[in-house]
Structures are given as C-alpha cells and as structure tokens.
Amino acid sequence: MSQTASDPWPSSIRRVAFLFAMSAEGTGFARRLGLEDHGNLDPSLPAHWLSGSIPGSGGGSLEVAVGFAGSDPEHRVDRIGTVPAALAAHLLIRRFEPDLLVNAGTCGGFKARGAAVGSIYLGSRAFLFHDHRIPLPGFDAFGVGRIEARYPEELLEVLDAEPGVVSTGDSFTPCAEDLEFFAAEGVHAKEMEAAAIARLARDHGLPFLAVKAVTDLVDHPEPEHEAFLRNLDRVSGALEERLVRLLGWLETRSESRA
Ligand code: ADE
C-alpha cells in the first residue's frame, strides 16, 4: 500500500540510513558515496557503519549512513538473517537518528509472478514472515507480521522498480510450508531481513523502505544458492544504481520543500 493522506510521508528527509545484511550487497554503494568508516556499532557485535554528507545538485546535502550486520567472527561469513539485522538496525537508529530507514539487498524472486534475475522490487502492501508458524490465538497473526508498507507512488518510477510483497524467513532453502505460504500470499521477494527491520522501524516511528534485487528464482529448477552465488556481485551493482537514484530523488524533494 502506498502512502495515505492520513499518514503522510515526511515532507523533508535529510538523514537516510541504509542497512545491508551482506558486505557484497552494500560495500560498493558505501565506497561510491565516499563514506567515512566509524567501525563497530557496539563493542560486542560485528555490526558496523559508515556515514557522510552527500552534496546535492541544488546546493543542499543529505546525511547518509550505511550499516552492515557484520561478519561472524567464528564462521567468517556475513551474519545474515533477522536477529543480526534487527540488532544492527536498532543500533544504527540510536547512533545516527535517521529520518528514513532503508533495507537494501538481494532476494529470491518468482518466475510465476514475472521475476527475472536482476528484477528490482520495492516492498509493497505488507512485510511478512513466512516461517513464523505459531498456531496460538493472536500469536499466529503476530508471527506473520503483515507490517504495512508505505511509500509515495512516484518512487516506483524513480527506482524503476516493481511493487512487490516481501517475505522474510531465517532459512535460505524453503520448505513445503514456506512454498504454500508464498503462493497463498502472492509473495514476490523472499529474503531474510526486511520484515524484522520493518517492525523495528515501526517501533521507532520511522518511515521504512525495502529495495530488493533478485539474484535467484525460487520456482526455477536450478538450486537457489548456485544462482545466488553466481549473480550476487552483478545484481548488487544494479541495486547500487537504484539506491543512488533514491538519494537523488530525496535530495531534490527536500530542496524543493526547504
Ligand atoms: N537472498 C537472495 N536470494 C535469496 C533466497 N532465495 N532466499 C533468501 N534470501 C535470499
């Protein structure tokens, strides 16, 4: 669902925080913006962040932070999934105090719903959890989340993105019940962080966007993880271009309302 008149998108956004789960998804973006590395968000956690001031074409500027869940010191891989993402997002919000939180990254898409490798989705309608199965009154709905997604409609054009239902879970490989859930809910993007961050953003009263780029097709015979590893760098590069467009749009918008 896009922004409604009763709960308008903030007229001026000057501080934007991006949260990535994987280093490969966001390092190019942070480098391109020339952000300063501030190290860890908390001395006990591998989550880390960078920030800087990005000048706009009209003389104004945006303050931008980029946070990462960080690398697991024991297994030496990125800490993907909901818990590290929510922790990193919370710390980043406290440290940077953004006006807007963006979760950007990769996802599995669905050929049956028109996706191809490289398709870009802007999280729409609601953010779901597909693997929170809690058959207890009230907790069932809490488990699925259904956290409302909102954005100004013109953002779809700015990002050249499709509106898509994003569903989050902590496994890369889907089980039969997950597949049933995707079909029943018409899910477009299966990933591992967005709904957890969407809920946190709502707790903080922050507008939230999820921009997700398809690396693999969940309903295609090739195993998702093989396509994911092959396409990760290329698709992350395409994602970077869209995020730069988002910054340009935010900059122009806040200047025209200054
Ligand atoms: N990220 C990219 N592809 C994914 C998939 N198929 N499942 C979960 N997260 C993903």
Side-chain angles (χ1 to χ4, degrees):
M1 185 188 286
S2 58
Q3 199 64 23
T4 62
S6 61
D7 193 4
W9 189 259
S11 59
S12 173
I13 290 173
R14 298 195 170 273
R15 300 179 69 79
V16 192
F18 291 86
L19 205 283
F20 295 90
M22 297 186 77
S23 164
E25 292 170 332
T27 298
F29 179 60
R31 280 212 187 107
R32 178 162 169 173
L33 299 182
L35 304 182
E36 182 188 347
D37 192 344
H38 302 296
N40 289 15
L41 279 159
D42 181 282
S44 303
L45 294 177
H48 58 103
W49 73 300
L50 308 90
S51 75
S53 200
I54 310 301
S57 50
S61 64
L62 282 179
E63 297 303 312
V64 177
V66 171
F68 293 92
S71 177
D72 185 275
E74 185 183 351
H75 300 285
R76 304 201 175 283
V77 292
D78 295 301
R79 279 197 168 168
I80 57 176
T82 55
V83 173
L87 273 173
H90 182 73
L91 291 168
L92 187 60
I93 291 168
R94 284 284 183 244
R95 197 65 89 84
F96 181 70
E97 300 190 346
D99 306 320
L100 168 68
L101 182 62
V102 183
N103 172 219
T106 57
C107 67
F110 295 81
K111 207 171 168 197
R113 283 183 274 289
V117 169
S119 297
I120 308 271
Y121 288 107
L122 180 58
S124 295
R125 243 164 56 205
F127 296 100
L128 310 175
F129 291 101
H130 52 261
D131 64 354
H132 289 190
R133 289 176 280 275
I134 317 174
L136 299 171
F139 292 90
D140 46 1
F142 164 72
V144 174
R146 231 175 275 287
I147 299 139
E148 192 184 16
R150 298 168 178 209
Y151 52 81
E153 205 68 39
E154 65 176 298
L155 249 189
L156 290 168
E157 205 178 318
V158 170
L159 294 171
D160 191 13
E162 295 294 321
V165 173
V166 176
S167 189
T168 300
D170 275 302
S171 292
F172 194 91
T173 314
C175 66
E177 281 159 304
D178 294 342
L179 294 172
E180 277 169 30
F181 181 97
F182 300 143
E185 296 284 350
V187 169
H188 295 89
K190 166 190 177 288
E191 50 75 85
M192 299 176 68
E193 290 87 18
I197 305 173
R199 179 167 273 157
L200 184 88
R202 196 165 74 176
D203 288 344
H204 283 273
L206 275 177
F208 172 73
L209 299 173
V211 187
K212 298 281 161 170
V214 173
T215 45
D216 53 275
L217 296 166
V218 178
D219 53 355
H220 188 268
E222 180 184 28
E224 294 101 314
H225 64 279
E226 287 178 14
F228 171 76
L229 292 171
R230 195 177 59 243
N231 296 321
L232 176 61
D233 287 338
R234 178 169 59 86
V235 166
S236 298
L239 178 65
E240 178 183 325
E241 295 304 322
R242 311 302 172 97
L243 300 180
V244 168
R245 284 194 214 175
L246 171 63
L247 289 179
W249 178 77
L250 287 169
E251 175 59 31
T252 314
R253 209 167 163 272
S254 64
E255 269 174 9
S256 68
R257 284 155 207 246

